[in-house]
Amino acid sequence: MTTTSTTLPAPPERRTATIVMACLGVFVAYLPITSVAVSLPAIGNALGASTAQLSWVQDAFVLPMAAFILTAGVFGDVHGRRKVYLTGLALSALGAVVALSAQSIAFVWVGQALAGTGAAALLPTTLALISHAVPDFRERGKFIGIWASSLMLALTVGPMIAGPVAENLGWRFIYVLPVPFAVAAFAIALAALPESRAPHNRRLDWPGQVTAAVAVTALVFGVIEAGVNGLGDARVIVALIIAVLSGAAFVAVERRSDSPMLDLALFRSRAFTVTTLIAMISFLSLIGFIFVLSMYFGLVQQLGTIEAGWRLALMNGASMVVGALAGKLMHRVQARFLIGGGLAAVAAAQFALLTIDADTSFAAIGWRLVVLGLGMGFVMAPMTATAVAAVPYRLAGMAAAGNNAFRQVGGALGPAVLGALLTAGAVSSLPRQLADAGIDGELRERVVDAVDGEGLGAVAGLDLGADTPTVMNAVGDAFLDGMQLCLIFSGVLTAAAAVLCLVMLKPGTDAAH
């Protein structure tokens, strides 16, 4: 039984400290995403990793975020959000240290998984801290906007710092970046962050946790392996069957639980359901796009991590600037217009990127990335605030965790789905591109076999002699064909989400009740 003091909003003198810690926590949680993404080509070259293995570098981080975020939210409600917050920071730092010392791609995955588990603890906790400190949902929207800007700030500064670090010290040292921020946040939280718990009794839902984790893991594994070995592969079929059965079991368990990890009654709210679906779609598109774009910069344009980092910073910086503004505009503009308009801008930018090639200039690609970032900035804060405001206050923490969980499921599927599309499109196009370039016979077969087995990056390790420039140009053209497939898929999916938002998120569905 929790005491009454833990259910009351934070006093004014503590509110600022709580909100600052929430923003710092989400910054630590998201810092590894783009700092690692921009370094994927360097990691692949150093450790001899295939495209599928590199997609697991991203997914090893995002997957535990999706699998454990709801459990972390319940832990915070029951045992105290401050404790979970501190645990998340410690795991984030530990994961960075493990990846820093990795001698193989498998150990990078382990480090990423630990850091992702830490992020799973931080995400629902930071939003719950804001909900606790600011119970008025109208005022809360402004602070969620600041929280979303902190998230985008991490995505912005990550590649800007990682680029110089990776080029001057090596890719390993990008994992040093989260450590000082995590340590500083830990020290400040010990001194300044008050403890809080949920205002009602909850307990851990282990059957729900197990079935959810199995479903998410099996789904992502199946999608990644389908991109490498095809849908007919036995492992893919088994993984997807397990995902479906585990997902069904999760629904059955949650319907019968008297203390569910995710109360399915939340989905009776149209606003919560629509924004949660949009959260999953938008992060599938965003994280998957960042993965593909980082490969494009490294493999096709042959850019260093500094140059690639600045290009990603354009997108995330624009999103960060707009994020705080979007939180304030929520009281003047309907959420469906902010979210729907933002998604439409993202889709338009993705379709505009269809025309880029190996020689596209910084300016030509830059304005497209800025438009995409501006669009995402108008989506993030209103989407989260609407999901939280659409349910009774007692369920606000669970709604925030649920929205974040589905967002991270989308983020985990992003590199898997778009990585599979990229590989499939490139492998299908490569024989034609090589033939058009005049590469025939045994050399063409050797290149195609290497790409089919280990991904596009494998070509760099082949001894191609005088044909090296010609083959690499053909590989770049094949990559662009695969990338176009990814952009069309993402653009259509994002445009559909925009229409869904404008049609379904009508006035009256985005207010608390």
Side-chain angles (χ1 to χ4, degrees), residues 129 134 145 158 185 220 286 298-299 322 331 338 349 355 369 381 386 415 446 450 458 480:
L129 288 172
V134 190
V220 174
L286 177 64
L299 295 178
V322 170
H331 307 309
L338 288 174
T355 61
L369 295 180
T386 300
R446 190 153 59 96
L480 289 171

Side-chain angles (χ1 to χ4, degrees), residues 279-290:
M280 186 166 64
I281 292 173
S282 62
F283 256 54
L284 188 156
S285 178
L286 177 64
I287 304 301
F289 173 76
I290 289 175

Side-chain angles (χ1 to χ4, degrees), residues 203-413:
R203 63 177 183 273
L204 293 175
D205 174 23
W206 288 112
Q209 169 57 60
V210 171
T211 52
V214 171
V216 172
T217 304
L219 177 60
V220 174
F221 177 83
V223 171
I224 289 179
E225 290 301 312
V228 177
N229 301 309
L231 283 171
D233 184 78
R235 290 176 299 176
V236 173
I237 295 172
V238 171
L240 294 181
I241 290 174
I242 291 174
V244 171
L245 293 177
S246 300
F250 173 77
V251 172
V253 165
E254 296 304 278
R255 290 183 65 181
R256 289 171 173 78
S257 175
D258 56 0
S259 182
M261 185 170 65
L262 180 65
D263 192 339
L264 299 182
L266 290 171
F267 292 96
R268 295 173 187 167
S269 164
R270 182 190 296 178
F272 176 83
T273 302
V274 171
T275 52
T276 297
L277 181 59
I278 289 171
M280 186 166 64
I281 292 173
S282 62
F283 256 54
L284 188 156
S285 178
L286 177 64
I287 304 301
F289 173 76
I290 289 175
F291 171 76
V292 172
L293 193 65
S294 67
M295 301 295 288
Y296 161 78
F297 288 144
L299 295 178
V300 179
Q301 291 205 318
Q302 300 291 306
L303 299 179
T305 49
I306 295 177
E307 296 167 297
W310 276 106
R311 284 158 175 77
L312 286 178
L314 280 176
M315 177 179 67
N316 296 315
S319 185
M320 177 193 67
V321 170
V322 170
L325 174 63
K328 296 178 181 179
L329 286 176
M330 284 187 60
H331 307 309
R332 302 178 183 178
V333 181
Q334 291 180 20
R336 64 172 178 155
F337 293 129
L338 288 174
I339 301 171
L343 290 170
V346 171
Q350 288 170 331
F351 288 131
L353 284 164
L354 286 169
T355 61
I356 67 174
D357 56 28
D359 300 319
T360 301
S361 67
F362 179 91
I365 198 172
W367 72 263
R368 294 168 169 88
L369 295 180
V370 168
V371 171
L372 193 151
L374 291 173
M376 283 304 302
F378 279 112
V379 172
M380 293 292 294
M383 176 179 65
T384 304
T386 300
V388 173
V391 302
Y393 177 68
R394 65 182 180 83
L395 295 176
M398 185 184 291
N403 186 266
N404 264 312
F406 279 92
R407 179 188 301 170
Q408 300 315 320
V409 169
L413 286 173

Side-chain angles (χ1 to χ4, degrees), residues 113-256:
L114 287 170
T117 305
L122 290 169
L123 281 172
T125 307
T126 52
L127 273 174
L129 288 172
I130 291 177
S131 295
H132 176 75
V134 190
D136 183 349
F137 79 92
R138 295 178 181 84
E139 185 182 9
R140 191 190 308 146
K142 177 179 66 176
F143 293 105
I144 288 178
I146 297 173
W147 176 90
S149 291
S150 300
L151 184 158
M152 297 311 301
L153 176 62
L155 296 180
T156 302
V157 303
M160 294 173 65
I161 301 174
V165 168
E167 290 203 357
N168 291 290
L169 299 175
W171 67 268
R172 296 179 186 282
F173 289 90
I174 63 172
Y175 285 103
V176 175
L177 302 180
V179 176
F181 292 104
V183 171
F186 194 97
I188 297 171
L190 281 175
L193 185 64
E195 185 61 280
S196 67
R197 295 178 176 85
H200 57 284
N201 291 327
R202 294 189 70 184
R203 63 177 183 273
L204 293 175
D205 174 23
W206 288 112
Q209 169 57 60
V210 171
T211 52
V214 171
V216 172
T217 304
L219 177 60
V220 174
F221 177 83
V223 171
I224 289 179
E225 290 301 312
V228 177
N229 301 309
L231 283 171
D233 184 78
R235 290 176 299 176
V236 173
I237 295 172
V238 171
L240 294 181
I241 290 174
I242 291 174
V244 171
L245 293 177
S246 300
F250 173 77
V251 172
V253 165
E254 296 304 278
R255 290 183 65 181
R256 289 171 173 78

